[in-house]
């Protein structure tokens, strides 16, 4: 099973969750809301990295060549 597709889905959902956390708080906030906004930034950036890793894993594992054994020596 290719592991790139689940990574892309997880990374995209992390990015969307980060956007929701970041933009759900108003501009000037107290400490707990500022923490939530910072967590949104962290989750969103991590989601972008996971998505990129999933795309790379998918592209690398897409072109697997079968191993041909040659026993004619």
């Amino acid at each position: 099973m290719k592991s790139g597709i689940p990574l892309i889905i997880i990374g995209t959902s992390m990015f969307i969750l980060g956007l929701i956390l970041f933009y759900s708080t108003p501009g000037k906030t107290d400490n707990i809301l500022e923490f939530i906004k910072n967590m949104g930034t962290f989750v969103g950036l991590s989601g972008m990295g996971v998505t990129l890793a999933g795309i790379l894993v998918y592209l690398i594992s897409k072109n697997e060549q079968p191993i041909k054994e040659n026993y004619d020596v």
Side-chain angles (χ1 to χ4, degrees), residues 32-62:
I32 191 70
L33 292 177
E34 186 176 344
F35 178 73
I36 292 173
K37 194 169 197 171
N38 290 338
M39 286 304 296
T41 303
F42 177 75
V43 170
L45 289 174
S46 299
M48 290 184 347
V50 170
T51 304
L52 179 63
I55 291 170
L56 291 175
V57 167
Y58 176 75
L59 290 175
I60 289 171
S61 67
K62 185 177 175 182

Side-chain angles (χ1 to χ4, degrees), residues 1-8 54 57-64:
M1 180 179 170
K2 295 186 178 183
S3 62
I5 301 295
L7 278 175
I8 294 171
V57 167
Y58 176 75
L59 290 175
I60 289 171
S61 67
K62 185 177 175 182
N63 296 326
E64 291 182 4

